[in-house]
Amino acid sequence: MRRASAAWLLCLIALSVTTPACADVGQTIETFTLDNGMKVIVLPNHRVPAVNHMLWFYVGAADDPVGKSGLAHYHEHLMFKGSPAFASGEYVRQLQKHGGEHNAFTGYDTTSYYVTIAKEHLPLVMQLEADRLRGLTVSEAEAEKEKDVVVEERRQRIDNSPAAQLAEQMNAAMFLNHPYQRPMIGWQHEMQGLTLSDARDFHAKYYHPGNAVLIVSGDITADELRPLAKKYYGALPAHTTPERHWLQEPPHLAERHVTLRHQYVNQPAFTRSYKAPSVHMSDKPTAISLVVLSHLLGGGKNSVLYQSLVVEQKLAAAVDVSYNFYAYGFSEFTISIVPEKGISLEKIEQALDKQLANFIKQGVDEAALARTKRMMQAEAMYAREGLTSTSNIMGWIIMAGMEPQDFNRWPEMIEAATASHIMQAAHNLLQPTASVTGYLLPEETP
Amino acid sequence: MIRAFILTICVLVLPWHSARAEIQEIKTPAGFTIWLMEDHSLPLIAAYMVFRGSGLAYDPSGKEGRGNMAAALLMEGAGDMDDAAFNAALEEYAIRMNVGVDDDTLQATLQTLTTNKSKAFAMLADILIRPRFDGEAIDRTRRKIETILHEQATSPYYKLSRAWQEMNYPGHPYGRLGLGDAATLKELEREDFQHYTTRYLTKENIIISVVGDVNKEEITRLVDEHFSAMPDHYQPDSKVVDTVFPSVADTIFISHDMPQTLIKVGLPGIARSDPDFIAAYILNHIIGGSGLGSRLADAIRIKRGLTYSISTGLNPKTHANEWIGMFSTRSGKAEEAVEVFKNILQEVAEHGVTAEELADAKSFLTSSYILNLSSNEEIASYLSMIQFHHLGMGYLKTRNDLMNAVALEDIRRVSQRLILPAHLRMVMVGKSL
């Protein structure tokens, strides 16, 4: 029951893509829709006699009611605590018995639940999943214990780690009004006030077939899946889900600097985040240009920032750039730098700004762009191998508002990102007023 | 002509679909042994190479950190390409290559598109046989490792694992800081890394597993053409002796001001080659290896809400065997959580597990077997594990039969042998118990 973490998002970017020069990825993609509105996507892959069943919901932490941050994630935990036909613990026990691996992820925009299992047990999985769409049957006492668990999860992920605390504070500084400003896992004081009745209301509001996309990859075809989907999910009543009316961001007028000092920070670290458009907030070419830009700037040892800050100037030990194209609201484009021992963050910041200004002035190195694209295009072919990677990537593509066939079009979308698109996207992105800079520092010595 | 010399010793049929039905053991003319599983459903190939006895524990005294730094340097230029040219070529040909090192081994992994296989295997051979160890790259890598050492010194997880090593392996290489320290790093020179690669990355101790869109003639040619210059003999500087995980209870508490207390516990484990390993594996699954369904998760997380994650596992290494558990709980609750942990162990030690638990565990472990063997890379890594532990080619097929053959008495015997709560060794890092 992990949250979608930064690593998770990075992993998707790394995985998303195909073969050199625009070859089709060649993944068979079949789709149909049930009468109650549930969309179904089938991704046949007959390498092993198993399937990955993934249910995605258009609801996430950004839909948490004001004052109840952490509710989407808490609700996700309670989904494992019993449903009308299955007592508490039965979901896990049934999957244990039948060799199913399972987990769930809560993000800002989406929540997903997956099971990977031998093909013959797919009907059982669909029965379990469909049943928990009918409601939460967890007892008050168990729900209270699970609240302790999610608070422990918060302590483990955030409160134990100065770097995670800084990331949370930077996030709150990035978004002035949008619900993305709150942590996905919730603020602790609000988490402690969550109730079972909050979770039940949340369920009744959002967990309906029409608000879900079912993705099944593996040893199956649409013809085989359709009768099962009709039997298990088709029996659920159609129900409307409220439209999203998230608070929107006002113009960003000021660069923000956030500093966190901590006694357990030995080695300072630098982070710069820019508010960035996603596919949903702009268009595919813009977002894909930013994906390519993130690789050009920080994807590996040939990237602009690694070459400049690590190799030539010897200021940094590591550079990382991350961006996800699939946020429903605004995304972030984040540059993280670990300075070499003894190098100040001010020096890193100056060197970064100078290098970014140079990049804007000089433009993209065409040879480097061609190389980067080749690697990125091949990633889609690599992603086709795994049982879960295809359904994962398909899920993000759909949640981003893209078409299922965009999975196969990834190489051509990458190819279409020309130097001028990328430079335009970079120019629009790298606005100081749309940025938050984070300093992670040791405690000041008196 | 070469093809005539290929000796395929064994062909094994697996429960996979026909596309990936066979494991072949190939002995090449140049003297390499390759395990190959062909799968032509996608134009991709994965290779996994492991070198026995080349891990961090094999660094001679005074040169701690050599293996780790050499491993990092392999990807910083090789053959006629300096670091920039090498990394540009990886991108150009969309080749994924990685080098990792642990206490016992160095591992090199490769993923390539079929069309670029020749280039990919040539580059893999370059890093293993002809690494450059250019001065600039050495200095940069040294500074990076120094930065990592500096950064981790205040991390609670680092404090936990250092204390664990020192407590359980005093005087043994497993108890040392594998990355080295400022003093040993400063002394390491180009010659040290060259010495390492020519003596530790050799034909004698290599294990090769290949999976994907390549046939036995092609892989034989690729390996012999590119790797035949690899040194023949493994010549380690020092021998690493076997040791035992202490079987006397001990607890170390390290003060670190944070909201949770991290807890690592352990007991002597069991060797991978032990006839009871499979029974111990199932037993571990029931106690703490199966996520939310385990006895420990049920007692500590679900019933009491004391932790978010708790898991246990067997850790069979070349020279010692551990059974370990990790969890964390809020300050003030560590004693209670540890008490519950011990009680669960006590129950298992006294009463074993139920027939139903055993049946469920066997069912899960046998049915989920294929789930993590769907990509070429996963299978190549698994084949390497089988080779590393000398389990034999038949293991792929018999593994589930071995699981199914485990009876309640086996579990009882193994519980009595391994699950000894009175011997529990423990490190805690936090503000208070």
Side-chain angles (χ1 to χ4, degrees):
Chain A
M1 270 132 273
R2 284 163 268 166
R3 291 181 307 138
S5 66
W8 172 247
L9 305 183
L10 273 179
C11 165
L12 171 74
I13 292 164
L15 285 174
S16 327
V17 203
T18 312
T19 11
C22 281
D24 189 279
V25 182
Q27 173 65 52
T28 302
I29 299 167
E30 302 178 284
T31 61
F32 58 91
T33 304
L34 300 178
D35 292 341
N36 57 19
M38 183 185 268
K39 292 192 265 316
V40 184
I41 301 175
V42 188
L43 303 165
N45 165 3
H46 305 289
R47 290 161 68 91
V48 290
V51 289
N52 174 262
H53 175 288
M54 208 161 190
L55 261 182
W56 293 72
F57 293 88
Y58 290 96
V59 64
D63 298 299
D64 289 343
V66 172
K68 295 186 188 296
S69 63
L71 180 57
H73 174 249
Y74 178 48
H75 168 273
E76 175 231 295
H77 274 236
L78 296 181
M79 286 283 273
F80 291 85
K81 298 272 166 190
S83 57
F86 295 95
S88 178
E90 269 303 293
Y91 179 95
V92 171
R93 194 161 167 273
Q94 287 297 324
L95 293 182
Q96 278 281 313
K97 241 181 139 116
H98 296 92
E101 296 189 340
H102 65 94
N103 212 329
F105 300 91
T106 303
Y108 278 118
D109 310 324
T110 64
T111 310
S112 58
Y113 300 81
Y114 85 79
V115 179
T116 308
I117 200 161
K119 182 186 178 177
E120 64 267 29
H121 301 309
L122 181 60
L124 167 72
V125 171
M126 296 174 80
Q127 192 187 352
L128 287 164
E129 295 292 347
D131 197 58
R132 57 184 186 174
L133 291 187
R134 296 178 198 276
L136 302 174
T137 57
V138 60
S139 69
E140 287 281 353
E142 265 203 274
E144 279 303 302
K145 282 290 168 224
E146 197 61 23
K147 209 160 71 186
D148 290 343
V149 171
V150 292
V151 174
E152 285 304 323
E153 184 179 352
R154 187 191 149 82
R155 290 190 184 101
Q156 186 177 324
R157 289 182 187 282
I158 314 284
D159 305 327
N160 284 353
S161 158
Q165 289 175 317
L166 174 61
E168 186 173 273
Q169 299 285 319
M170 284 180 68
N171 191 60
M174 170 60 81
F175 295 98
L176 304 175
N177 198 40
H178 194 280
Y180 286 173
Q181 66 179 202
R182 300 172 302 184
M184 275 186 268
I185 198 162
W187 297 116
Q188 186 168 328
H189 66 283
E190 294 188 353
M191 294 169 77
Q192 275 159 340
L194 297 174
T195 65
L196 176 54
S197 128
D198 292 333
R200 289 215 167 104
D201 292 347
F202 194 81
H203 193 98
K205 200 166 168 186
Y206 295 110
Y207 279 74
H208 301 296
N211 200 36
V213 178
L214 169 64
I215 301 175
V216 181
S217 69
D219 191 17
I220 191 156
T221 62
D223 284 344
E224 292 173 281
L225 185 67
R226 196 176 290 110
L228 294 172
K230 276 189 181 158
K231 177 173 174 192
Y232 294 107
Y233 296 114
L236 297 164
H239 195 290
T240 53
T241 308
E243 284 212 12
R244 275 177 164 158
H245 292 293
W246 290 344
L247 297 176
Q248 293 303 304
E249 285 292 281
H252 288 189
L253 305 177
E255 345 181 353
R256 283 138 282 168
H257 277 77
V258 180
T259 297
L260 187 138
R261 291 182 179 275
H262 198 287
Q263 63 165 321
Y264 293 128
V265 172
N266 238 9
Q267 172 64 41
F270 175 90
T271 312
R272 166 79 60 75
S273 284
Y274 293 93
K275 187 181 107 173
S278 58
V279 169
H280 184 248
M281 295 301 283
S282 59
D283 49 47
K284 283 189 253 182
T286 303
I288 299 301
S289 293
L290 288 174
V291 175
V292 180
L293 177 69
S294 70
H295 282 243
L296 281 174
L297 287 180
K301 290 177 178 170
N302 278 318
S303 62
V304 169
L305 294 176
Y306 185 91
Q307 279 298 318
S308 155
L309 302 179
V310 178
V311 177
E312 283 153 29
Q313 301 184 59
K314 301 182 173 58
L315 296 174
V319 173
D320 181 64
V321 177
S322 70
Y323 161 73
N324 71 71
F325 61 87
Y326 46 80
Y328 192 82
F330 274 103
S331 185
E332 288 179 80
F333 190 100
T334 301
I335 301 167
S336 314
I337 301 171
V338 179
E340 279 201 2
K341 206 175 146 189
I343 303 293
S344 74
L345 295 183
E346 288 80 3
K347 191 151 190 182
I348 290 289
E349 183 166 13
Q350 281 166 13
L352 172 68
D353 284 333
K354 198 171 159 201
Q355 194 53 46
L356 291 174
N358 273 348
F359 179 77
I360 290 291
K361 205 161 71 192
Q362 290 170 1
V364 172
D365 175 326
E366 287 286 355
L369 176 60
R371 271 200 317 264
T372 300
K373 282 182 174 177
R374 223 153 297 172
M375 190 56 153
M376 295 178 74
Q377 288 169 329
E379 299 291 348
M381 188 56 84
Y382 287 126
R384 277 197 56 193
E385 274 194 88
L387 211 52
T388 51
S389 58
T390 33
S391 24
N392 250 323
I393 290 167
M394 180 57 77
W396 290 114
I397 284 176
I398 299 305
M399 293 292 132
M402 296 161 75
E403 301 297 314
Q405 278 302 333
D406 284 336
F407 183 99
N408 283 329
R409 285 195 286 259
W410 187 265
E412 65 186 84
M413 291 192 285
I414 295 291
E415 198 58 37
T418 62
S420 70
H421 285 129
I422 292 165
M423 292 315 297
Q424 186 57 52
H427 181 82
N428 292 343
L429 174 78
L430 300 173
Q431 302 297 331
T433 53
S435 77
V436 180
T437 302
Y439 278 21
L440 184 65
L441 288 168
E443 259 175 8
E444 273 170 310
T445 41
Chain B
M1 293 308 286
I2 289 173
R3 288 166 202 186
F5 295 102
I6 296 166
L7 176 63
T8 300
I9 287 187
C10 185
V11 172
L12 185 65
V13 179
L14 283 170
W16 276 270
H17 285 180
S18 56
R20 48 173 66 239
E22 301 179 348
I23 306 285
Q24 304 164 66
E25 183 173 74
I26 302 165
K27 302 275 186 189
T28 75
F32 290 99
T33 299
I34 305 167
W35 282 23
L36 170 67
M37 189 170 184
E38 287 184 44
D39 180 330
H40 304 283
S41 61
L42 289 171
L44 297 170
I45 302 166
Y48 204 97
M49 296 191 175
V50 182
F51 296 88
R52 290 180 196 280
S54 63
L56 305 175
Y58 294 81
D59 288 340
S61 182
K63 293 197 184 293
E64 289 87 354
R66 182 184 69 182
N68 175 63
M69 195 164 157
L73 282 164
L74 296 185
M75 297 283 289
E76 295 282 339
D80 56 6
M81 291 184 279
D82 66 11
D83 53 351
F86 185 85
N87 287 297
L90 288 181
E91 279 192 337
E92 182 81 36
Y93 293 93
I95 295 165
R96 290 175 164 186
M97 197 182 287
N98 263 307
V99 178
V101 64
D102 59 24
D103 274 348
D104 295 325
T105 66
L106 178 139
Q107 320 96 37
T109 63
L110 175 73
Q111 287 176 274
T112 181
L113 305 169
T114 309
T115 48
N116 296 335
K117 62 178 183 277
S118 194
K119 182 73 182 173
F121 278 88
M123 288 181 73
L124 182 61
D126 276 346
I127 70 162
L128 297 174
I129 304 169
R130 288 171 290 274
R132 289 167 67 105
F133 301 125
D134 290 334
E136 274 272 303
I138 291 176
D139 291 344
R140 183 169 64 241
T141 303
R142 194 192 325 268
R143 291 197 307 272
K144 274 188 196 177
I145 297 170
E146 283 167 357
T147 301
I148 292 168
L149 289 171
H150 185 57
E151 181 175 31
Q152 70 182 15
T154 45
S155 147
Y157 293 95
Y158 173 77
K159 290 177 181 176
L160 184 76
S161 69
R162 272 310 283 151
W164 184 259
Q165 285 182 301
E166 284 169 355
M167 171 197 211
N168 296 311
Y169 301 104
H172 190 273
Y174 284 170
R176 299 184 310 197
L177 185 52
L179 302 190
D181 58 34
T184 65
L185 286 175
K186 199 181 297 170
E187 297 298 317
L188 291 170
E189 296 172 350
R190 184 164 194 267
E191 288 67 35
D192 293 308
F193 307 123
Q194 283 173 327
H195 177 91
Y196 172 81
T197 49
T198 54
R199 285 165 173 254
Y200 287 78
L201 307 185
T202 73
K203 285 180 185 167
E204 193 176 339
N205 62 328
I206 193 173
I207 293 169
I208 307 176
S209 308
V210 179
V211 179
D213 186 23
V214 62
N215 65 33
K216 64 182 179 185
E217 288 80 13
E218 289 167 333
I219 195 64
T220 301
R221 188 177 48 71
L222 285 167
V223 169
D224 277 5
E225 181 183 331
H226 297 298
F227 291 85
S228 55
M230 181 172 276
D232 289 323
H233 298 296
Y234 172 62
Q235 298 171 278
D237 295 303
S238 50
K239 197 168 148 44
V240 179
V241 297
D242 289 351
T243 182
V244 286
F245 187 91
S247 49
V248 185
D250 198 1
T251 299
I252 293 177
F253 181 83
I254 296 169
S255 175
H256 185 100
D257 186 4
M258 65 176 175
Q260 281 190 329
T261 301
L262 310 182
I263 303 158
K264 181 166 178 171
V265 298
L267 288 167
I270 183 167
R272 192 63 189 76
S273 57
D274 193 295
D276 271 334
F277 184 86
I278 294 282
Y281 189 84
I282 295 176
L283 175 64
N284 173 67
H285 180 84
I286 295 167
I287 295 174
S290 55
L292 286 182
S294 74
R295 279 203 184 189
L296 286 168
D298 186 59
I300 298 179
R301 171 172 161 156
I302 295 172
K303 289 219 172 67
R304 293 180 180 78
L306 289 173
T307 192
Y308 167 61
S309 65
I310 179 161
S311 65
T312 62
L314 291 164
N315 185 16
K317 305 187 2 167
T318 305
H319 302 288
N321 304 297
E322 307 172 324
W323 176 79
I324 49 179
M326 271 286 287
F327 55 109
S328 58
T329 189
R330 54 196 175 274
S331 290
K333 290 288 185 182
E335 257 176 328
E336 181 185 343
V338 167
E339 199 52 41
V340 178
F341 190 102
K342 284 183 177 168
N343 289 342
I344 295 290
L345 294 194
Q346 193 61 45
E347 273 172 38
V348 172
E350 283 172 22
H351 308 293
V353 304
T354 66
E356 193 182 13
E357 280 176 312
L358 176 59
D360 282 1
K362 289 193 319 197
S363 171
F364 177 85
L365 292 167
T366 53
S367 331
S368 63
Y369 184 39
I370 52 164
L371 301 183
N372 295 309
L373 295 175
S374 68
S375 73
N376 293 340
E377 195 188 19
E378 286 167 334
I379 298 167
S381 155
Y382 195 68
L383 295 184
S384 296
M385 184 284 292
I386 294 174
Q387 295 197 70
F388 182 78
H389 290 293
H390 303 289
L391 302 179
M393 276 182 72
Y395 184 77
L396 258 168
K397 191 178 157 198
T398 58
R399 183 261 195 196
N400 277 358
D401 300 336
L402 294 171
M403 293 258 167
N404 283 325
V406 171
L408 270 178
E409 292 121 64
D410 300 317
I411 298 285
R412 200 166 299 130
R413 181 179 64 252
V414 172
S415 307
Q416 281 162 1
R417 175 178 158 195
L418 293 181
I419 306 304
L420 306 168
H423 298 179
L424 204 63
R425 294 173 76 76
M426 186 156 36
V427 177
M428 292 190 259
V429 178
K431 192 162 53 186
S432 70
L433 292 177

